[in-house]
Amino acid sequence: MSEINASVTAAGDIARRIEARLNQVLVGQNEVVREILLALVTGGHVLIEGVPGLGKTLLVRSLSRCLDLPAARIQFTPDLMPSDITGHAIYDPKSESFRMRKGPAFTQLLLADEINRAPAKTQAALLEVMQEKQITIEGKAFHLPAPFMVLATQNPVDQEGTYPLPEAELDRFLFKVLIDYPDAAHEQRLVRMMLDGTIGDGLDVAELSPLTDRDGVLALQRAATAVQVDDAVLDYAVRLVRETRDFAGLSRGASPRASIALTRAARAHALLEDRDFVIPDDIKAVARPVLRHRLALSADAEIEGLRMEPLLDRLLEQVAAPRQ
Protein backbone atom coordinates (compact mmCIF):
# COMPACT_ATOMS: atom_id res chain seq x y z
CA MET A 1 0.00 0.00 0.00
CA SER A 2 1.39 3.42 -0.94
CA GLU A 3 1.96 6.18 1.62
CA ILE A 4 -0.91 8.19 0.12
CA ASN A 5 -3.24 5.20 0.27
CA ALA A 6 -2.33 4.57 3.90
CA SER A 7 -3.01 8.17 4.97
CA VAL A 8 -6.30 8.31 3.07
CA THR A 9 -7.43 4.99 4.54
CA ALA A 10 -6.61 6.08 8.09
CA ALA A 11 -8.29 9.46 7.65
CA GLY A 12 -11.33 7.94 5.99
CA ASP A 13 -11.73 5.51 8.88
CA ILE A 14 -11.78 8.34 11.42
CA ALA A 15 -14.22 10.35 9.28
CA ARG A 16 -16.61 7.41 8.96
CA ARG A 17 -16.52 6.87 12.74
CA ILE A 18 -17.47 10.52 13.26
CA GLU A 19 -20.23 10.15 10.68
CA ALA A 20 -21.64 7.06 12.41
CA ARG A 21 -21.62 8.82 15.80
CA LEU A 22 -23.46 11.86 14.42
CA ASN A 23 -26.04 9.64 12.73
CA GLN A 24 -26.82 8.17 16.15
CA VAL A 25 -27.61 11.67 17.41
CA LEU A 26 -29.35 13.23 14.38
CA VAL A 27 -31.77 10.45 13.53
CA GLY A 28 -32.97 10.15 9.94
CA GLN A 29 -30.67 12.85 8.50
CA ASN A 30 -27.86 10.73 7.06
CA GLU A 31 -27.44 12.87 3.94
CA VAL A 32 -27.23 16.07 6.01
CA VAL A 33 -24.59 14.52 8.29
CA ARG A 34 -22.56 13.31 5.30
CA GLU A 35 -22.59 16.73 3.62
CA ILE A 36 -21.58 18.58 6.78
CA LEU A 37 -18.75 16.13 7.35
CA LEU A 38 -17.62 16.59 3.74
CA ALA A 39 -17.54 20.35 4.28
CA LEU A 40 -15.48 19.90 7.44
CA VAL A 41 -12.93 17.71 5.65
CA THR A 42 -12.83 20.18 2.75
CA GLY A 43 -12.36 23.13 5.12
CA GLY A 44 -15.50 24.96 3.95
CA HIS A 45 -18.57 26.56 5.46
CA VAL A 46 -22.16 25.29 5.30
CA LEU A 47 -25.51 27.01 4.85
CA ILE A 48 -28.32 24.82 6.22
CA GLU A 49 -31.89 25.56 5.13
CA GLY A 50 -34.87 24.12 6.96
CA VAL A 51 -37.66 24.87 9.36
CA PRO A 52 -36.90 25.10 13.10
CA GLY A 53 -36.97 22.00 15.28
CA LEU A 54 -34.99 19.57 13.12
CA GLY A 55 -31.93 19.28 15.35
CA LYS A 56 -29.50 21.73 13.76
CA THR A 57 -28.23 23.07 17.10
CA LEU A 58 -27.90 19.56 18.49
CA LEU A 59 -25.86 18.57 15.44
CA VAL A 60 -23.35 21.38 15.96
CA ARG A 61 -23.04 20.63 19.70
CA SER A 62 -22.47 16.96 18.94
CA LEU A 63 -19.93 17.76 16.21
CA SER A 64 -18.07 20.02 18.66
CA ARG A 65 -17.90 17.20 21.19
CA CYS A 66 -16.81 14.53 18.69
CA LEU A 67 -14.01 16.79 17.44
CA ASP A 68 -13.11 18.22 20.87
CA LEU A 69 -13.38 21.74 19.41
CA PRO A 70 -14.94 24.83 21.01
CA ALA A 71 -18.28 25.95 19.56
CA ALA A 72 -20.42 29.06 19.85
CA ARG A 73 -23.91 30.02 18.75
CA ILE A 74 -25.25 33.35 17.56
CA GLN A 75 -29.00 33.89 17.28
CA PHE A 76 -29.50 36.32 14.41
CA THR A 77 -32.29 38.85 14.95
CA PRO A 78 -33.32 42.06 13.12
CA ASP A 79 -31.62 44.23 15.77
CA LEU A 80 -28.34 42.28 15.91
CA MET A 81 -25.31 44.51 15.33
CA PRO A 82 -22.03 43.53 13.62
CA SER A 83 -20.15 44.11 16.88
CA ASP A 84 -22.41 41.54 18.55
CA ILE A 85 -20.73 38.98 16.28
CA THR A 86 -17.12 40.10 16.14
CA GLY A 87 -16.72 42.01 19.41
CA HIS A 88 -15.66 45.57 20.13
CA ALA A 89 -13.26 47.75 22.08
CA ILE A 90 -14.30 48.95 25.55
CA TYR A 91 -12.74 51.92 27.30
CA ASP A 92 -11.45 51.07 30.77
CA PRO A 93 -11.38 54.25 32.89
CA LYS A 94 -9.13 52.66 35.51
CA SER A 95 -6.32 51.95 33.07
CA GLU A 96 -7.34 54.81 30.76
CA SER A 97 -7.04 52.49 27.79
CA PHE A 98 -9.19 50.36 25.55
CA ARG A 99 -9.50 46.61 25.97
CA MET A 100 -10.92 44.14 23.50
CA ARG A 101 -14.11 42.30 24.22
CA LYS A 102 -14.14 39.37 21.84
CA GLY A 103 -17.44 38.28 20.34
CA PRO A 104 -18.78 34.75 19.84
CA ALA A 105 -17.11 34.51 16.42
CA PHE A 106 -13.84 33.81 18.27
CA THR A 107 -14.32 30.07 18.20
CA GLN A 108 -13.73 27.12 15.86
CA LEU A 109 -17.27 25.90 15.17
CA LEU A 110 -19.68 28.81 14.81
CA LEU A 111 -23.42 28.24 14.54
CA ALA A 112 -25.06 31.30 12.96
CA ASP A 113 -28.70 30.51 13.67
CA GLU A 114 -31.40 31.97 11.39
CA ILE A 115 -28.84 34.11 9.59
CA ASN A 116 -31.41 35.55 7.19
CA ARG A 117 -33.39 37.19 10.00
CA ALA A 118 -30.70 39.89 10.27
CA PRO A 119 -30.22 42.69 7.70
CA ALA A 120 -27.41 42.65 5.15
CA LYS A 121 -25.11 44.92 7.21
CA THR A 122 -25.00 42.39 10.03
CA GLN A 123 -24.73 39.42 7.68
CA ALA A 124 -21.72 41.12 6.08
CA ALA A 125 -19.89 40.96 9.40
CA LEU A 126 -19.36 37.27 8.71
CA LEU A 127 -17.76 37.84 5.29
CA GLU A 128 -14.27 38.66 6.58
CA VAL A 129 -14.52 35.92 9.20
CA MET A 130 -15.48 33.29 6.61
CA GLN A 131 -13.11 34.32 3.85
CA GLU A 132 -10.03 35.55 5.69
CA LYS A 133 -10.40 33.50 8.90
CA GLN A 134 -9.69 36.68 10.83
CA ILE A 135 -11.59 39.41 12.71
CA THR A 136 -10.67 43.09 12.66
CA ILE A 137 -11.54 45.23 15.68
CA GLU A 138 -10.46 48.88 15.81
CA GLY A 139 -7.98 48.27 13.00
CA LYS A 140 -6.32 45.29 14.70
CA ALA A 141 -6.59 41.89 13.01
CA PHE A 142 -7.08 38.76 15.09
CA HIS A 143 -6.43 35.48 13.30
CA LEU A 144 -8.73 32.59 14.16
CA PRO A 145 -7.21 29.18 14.94
CA ALA A 146 -7.62 26.43 12.37
CA PRO A 147 -9.84 24.63 11.78
CA PHE A 148 -12.62 27.21 11.64
CA MET A 149 -16.08 26.44 10.27
CA VAL A 150 -19.31 28.43 10.04
CA LEU A 151 -22.56 26.48 10.03
CA ALA A 152 -25.30 28.99 9.24
CA THR A 153 -28.98 28.10 9.30
CA GLN A 154 -31.65 29.96 7.42
CA ASN A 155 -35.40 29.70 7.26
CA PRO A 156 -37.06 29.18 3.86
CA VAL A 157 -36.97 32.56 2.11
CA ASP A 158 -40.76 32.74 1.79
CA GLN A 159 -41.16 32.94 5.56
CA GLU A 160 -42.09 36.29 7.09
CA GLY A 161 -39.29 38.45 8.48
CA THR A 162 -36.44 37.05 6.38
CA TYR A 163 -33.83 38.88 4.32
CA PRO A 164 -32.17 37.35 1.24
CA LEU A 165 -28.45 36.69 1.67
CA PRO A 166 -26.19 38.76 -0.62
CA GLU A 167 -24.63 36.87 -3.53
CA ALA A 168 -21.12 37.60 -2.24
CA GLU A 169 -21.97 35.96 1.07
CA LEU A 170 -23.71 32.98 -0.51
CA ASP A 171 -20.63 32.28 -2.61
CA ARG A 172 -18.53 31.96 0.57
CA PHE A 173 -20.44 28.84 1.58
CA LEU A 174 -19.05 25.60 0.22
CA PHE A 175 -22.42 23.83 0.53
CA LYS A 176 -26.06 24.67 0.87
CA VAL A 177 -27.60 21.74 2.73
CA LEU A 178 -31.34 21.11 2.76
CA ILE A 179 -32.67 19.57 5.96
CA ASP A 180 -36.23 18.25 5.85
CA TYR A 181 -38.56 16.33 8.12
CA PRO A 182 -37.51 12.71 8.75
CA ASP A 183 -39.63 9.93 7.29
CA ALA A 184 -42.27 8.22 9.46
CA ALA A 185 -40.06 5.34 10.60
CA HIS A 186 -37.20 7.62 11.66
CA GLU A 187 -39.59 10.06 13.33
CA GLN A 188 -41.09 7.24 15.38
CA ARG A 189 -37.60 6.12 16.38
CA LEU A 190 -36.70 9.72 17.26
CA VAL A 191 -39.75 10.12 19.49
CA ARG A 192 -39.08 6.78 21.20
CA MET A 193 -35.45 7.69 21.88
CA MET A 194 -36.49 11.07 23.24
CA LEU A 195 -39.05 9.44 25.57
CA ASP A 196 -36.33 7.08 26.74
CA GLY A 197 -34.08 10.05 27.47
CA THR A 198 -31.36 8.91 25.09
CA ILE A 199 -31.71 11.74 22.58
CA GLY A 200 -33.34 15.09 22.07
CA ASP A 201 -32.61 18.80 22.56
CA GLY A 202 -31.84 18.04 26.19
CA LEU A 203 -29.18 15.46 25.33
CA ASP A 204 -26.06 15.98 27.40
CA VAL A 205 -23.43 15.99 24.67
CA ALA A 206 -20.75 15.88 27.36
CA GLU A 207 -21.51 12.17 27.48
CA LEU A 208 -20.20 11.84 23.92
CA SER A 209 -16.53 10.90 23.96
CA PRO A 210 -14.27 12.79 21.53
CA LEU A 211 -13.22 10.76 18.49
CA THR A 212 -10.43 13.09 17.44
CA ASP A 213 -9.09 16.57 18.20
CA ARG A 214 -7.86 19.72 16.48
CA ASP A 215 -4.75 18.02 15.12
CA GLY A 216 -6.85 15.10 13.93
CA VAL A 217 -9.19 17.39 12.00
CA LEU A 218 -6.25 19.15 10.37
CA ALA A 219 -4.83 15.73 9.44
CA LEU A 220 -8.18 14.85 7.84
CA GLN A 221 -8.05 18.01 5.77
CA ARG A 222 -4.45 17.34 4.70
CA ALA A 223 -5.35 13.77 3.71
CA ALA A 224 -8.11 15.09 1.46
CA THR A 225 -5.62 17.28 -0.39
CA ALA A 226 -3.61 14.12 -1.18
CA VAL A 227 -6.53 12.63 -3.13
CA GLN A 228 -5.72 12.73 -6.84
CA VAL A 229 -7.95 14.35 -9.48
CA ASP A 230 -7.47 13.11 -13.05
CA ASP A 231 -7.55 15.69 -15.86
CA ALA A 232 -10.67 14.09 -17.36
CA VAL A 233 -12.54 14.34 -14.04
CA LEU A 234 -11.36 17.92 -13.56
CA ASP A 235 -12.60 18.74 -17.06
CA TYR A 236 -16.00 17.21 -16.17
CA ALA A 237 -16.31 19.42 -13.06
CA VAL A 238 -15.44 22.56 -15.02
CA ARG A 239 -17.88 21.65 -17.82
CA LEU A 240 -20.68 21.21 -15.28
CA VAL A 241 -20.07 24.66 -13.84
CA ARG A 242 -19.67 26.36 -17.23
CA GLU A 243 -22.91 24.79 -18.46
CA THR A 244 -24.83 26.63 -15.73
CA ARG A 245 -23.97 29.98 -17.32
CA ASP A 246 -26.09 29.32 -20.42
CA PHE A 247 -28.50 26.74 -19.07
CA ALA A 248 -32.20 27.10 -19.85
CA GLY A 249 -34.12 28.23 -16.79
CA LEU A 250 -31.21 30.00 -15.08
CA SER A 251 -30.61 33.73 -14.93
CA ARG A 252 -27.31 33.42 -13.05
CA GLY A 253 -24.72 30.72 -13.40
CA ALA A 254 -21.91 29.69 -11.09
CA SER A 255 -18.53 31.41 -10.87
CA PRO A 256 -15.09 29.74 -11.09
CA ARG A 257 -15.22 29.51 -7.30
CA ALA A 258 -17.85 26.79 -7.83
CA SER A 259 -15.44 24.77 -10.01
CA ILE A 260 -12.86 24.91 -7.22
CA ALA A 261 -15.45 23.98 -4.58
CA LEU A 262 -16.73 21.10 -6.68
CA THR A 263 -13.33 19.45 -7.09
CA ARG A 264 -12.26 20.06 -3.48
CA ALA A 265 -15.50 18.58 -2.11
CA ALA A 266 -15.22 15.64 -4.50
CA ARG A 267 -11.79 14.82 -3.02
CA ALA A 268 -13.34 14.73 0.46
CA HIS A 269 -16.10 12.45 -0.84
CA ALA A 270 -13.51 10.09 -2.34
CA LEU A 271 -11.69 10.00 1.01
CA LEU A 272 -14.87 8.98 2.83
CA GLU A 273 -15.33 6.26 0.21
CA ASP A 274 -11.79 4.99 0.97
CA ARG A 275 -10.25 6.04 -2.34
CA ASP A 276 -7.21 8.19 -3.05
CA PHE A 277 -8.54 9.28 -6.45
CA VAL A 278 -11.70 11.09 -7.58
CA ILE A 279 -14.20 9.49 -9.95
CA PRO A 280 -17.11 11.17 -11.78
CA ASP A 281 -19.57 9.82 -9.19
CA ASP A 282 -17.77 11.89 -6.54
CA ILE A 283 -18.42 15.02 -8.60
CA LYS A 284 -22.08 14.07 -9.00
CA ALA A 285 -22.46 13.35 -5.28
CA VAL A 286 -21.44 16.89 -4.27
CA ALA A 287 -22.76 18.86 -7.27
CA ARG A 288 -26.18 19.68 -5.79
CA PRO A 289 -25.01 21.14 -2.44
CA VAL A 290 -22.17 22.99 -4.19
CA LEU A 291 -24.34 24.57 -6.91
CA ARG A 292 -27.87 25.08 -5.56
CA HIS A 293 -27.10 28.37 -3.74
CA ARG A 294 -24.88 29.74 -6.48
CA LEU A 295 -27.56 29.67 -9.18
CA ALA A 296 -30.68 31.77 -9.72
CA LEU A 297 -33.83 30.74 -11.58
CA SER A 298 -34.93 32.95 -14.45
CA ALA A 299 -38.19 34.87 -14.18
CA ASP A 300 -39.80 32.62 -16.81
CA ALA A 301 -38.76 29.50 -14.89
CA GLU A 302 -40.26 30.86 -11.67
CA ILE A 303 -43.51 31.72 -13.45
CA GLU A 304 -43.66 28.17 -14.82
CA GLY A 305 -43.17 26.83 -11.30
CA LEU A 306 -39.76 25.23 -11.91
CA ARG A 307 -37.65 24.41 -8.86
CA MET A 308 -33.89 24.29 -8.48
CA GLU A 309 -33.56 20.60 -7.57
CA PRO A 310 -35.20 19.15 -10.74
CA LEU A 311 -33.18 21.64 -12.79
CA LEU A 312 -29.94 20.39 -11.21
CA ASP A 313 -31.00 16.82 -11.96
CA ARG A 314 -31.46 17.80 -15.61
CA LEU A 315 -28.06 19.50 -15.66
CA LEU A 316 -26.36 16.35 -14.40
CA GLU A 317 -28.18 14.26 -17.00
CA GLN A 318 -27.21 16.51 -19.91
CA VAL A 319 -23.50 17.01 -19.15
CA ALA A 320 -21.71 13.84 -20.16
CA ALA A 321 -19.40 12.31 -17.57
CA PRO A 322 -16.10 10.70 -18.60
CA ARG A 323 -15.97 6.93 -18.64
CA GLN A 324 -14.39 5.50 -15.52
Side-chain angles (χ1 to χ4, degrees):
M1 182 180 292
S2 69
E3 183 177 348
I4 290 180
N5 277 333
S7 66
V8 168
T9 297
D13 181 62
I14 294 174
R16 286 187 291 273
R17 287 167 56 200
I18 296 170
E19 182 178 24
R21 177 71 58 82
L22 294 176
N23 280 326
Q24 293 174 354
V25 175
L26 200 69
V27 178
Q29 301 291 354
N30 293 20
E31 185 174 352
V32 172
V33 169
R34 166 58 68 102
E35 290 175 353
I36 287 176
L37 189 55
L38 287 174
L40 173 73
V41 175
T42 305
H45 309 294
V46 178
L47 178 64
I48 309 171
E49 181 173 290
V51 298
L54 297 178
K56 298 182 287 289
T57 302
L58 177 62
L59 173 62
V60 176
R61 289 169 54 217
S62 303
L63 183 64
S64 168
R65 184 60 183 168
C66 289
L67 305 178
D68 199 21
L69 294 176
R73 176 180 176 272
I74 303 172
Q75 177 63 54
F76 278 67
T77 57
D79 60 348
L80 190 74
M81 300 296 293
S83 59
D84 295 328
I85 298 172
T86 59
H88 53 274
I90 301 176
Y91 181 73
D92 185 355
K94 291 184 178 180
S95 62
E96 297 184 347
S97 62
F98 286 91
R99 60 185 178 86
M100 297 298 175
R101 182 178 180 181
K102 295 182 178 180
F106 283 88
T107 188
Q108 291 188 270
L109 295 176
L110 178 62
L111 174 60
D113 214 358
E114 296 187 303
I115 187 174
N116 61 336
R117 290 210 180 275
K121 180 180 179 181
T122 304
Q123 293 176 12
L126 278 180
L127 278 176
E128 180 190 19
V129 183
M130 294 170 63
Q131 183 67 22
E132 305 296 335
K133 309 292 177 66
Q134 71 175 25
I135 296 174
T136 302
I137 302 176
E138 299 294 328
K140 183 177 181 180
F142 298 86
H143 294 277
L144 297 174
F148 173 75
M149 182 181 187
V150 172
L151 298 101
T153 73
Q154 71 170 7
N155 299 301
V157 293
D158 55 351
Q159 285 197 0
E160 185 178 355
T162 60
Y163 299 84
L165 269 63
E167 292 178 18
E169 186 173 3
L170 283 172
D171 210 26
R172 296 309 193 274
F173 289 101
L174 176 75
F175 282 169
K176 179 180 178 181
V177 175
L178 304 180
I179 183 168
D180 205 351
Y181 299 108
D183 59 32
H186 280 114
E187 189 162 354
Q188 289 176 11
R189 179 185 168 203
L190 175 63
V191 173
R192 174 55 60 191
M193 294 176 72
M194 182 174 167
L195 292 175
D196 293 342
T198 57
I199 199 170
D201 287 338
L203 175 69
D204 184 8
V205 297
E207 297 178 0
L208 298 176
S209 57
L211 296 176
T212 187
D213 55 13
R214 173 184 178 272
D215 291 338
V217 175
L218 294 177
L220 277 173
Q221 295 176 349
R222 287 194 298 270
T225 64
V227 175
Q228 301 299 307
V229 183
D230 185 79
D231 287 344
V233 176
L234 177 62
D235 175 70
Y236 174 52
V238 172
R239 284 190 290 111
L240 268 176
V241 172
R242 293 182 64 85
E243 186 69 18
T244 66
R245 299 167 194 168
D246 298 302
F247 201 70
L250 293 176
S251 63
R252 184 182 76 242
S255 72
R257 186 179 275 124
S259 300
I260 298 170
L262 197 55
T263 49
R264 289 176 61 212
R267 291 195 303 191
H269 189 271
L271 183 143
L272 262 70
E273 295 296 320
D274 200 21
R275 279 184 278 100
D276 66 348
F277 58 93
V278 175
I279 62 175
D281 283 348
D282 295 318
I283 300 290
K284 293 177 182 179
V286 299
R288 292 173 183 83
V290 165
L291 294 175
R292 60 169 60 107
H293 59 297
R294 291 180 163 95
L295 310 177
L297 293 172
S298 65
D300 290 342
E302 291 184 346
I303 292 172
E304 293 173 7
L306 291 180
R307 294 181 297 112
M308 185 61 70
E309 297 308 303
L311 192 144
L312 288 172
D313 292 341
R314 198 172 71 203
L315 173 71
L316 290 169
E317 290 174 359
Q318 291 188 12
V319 179
R323 294 181 179 180
Q324 298 180 16

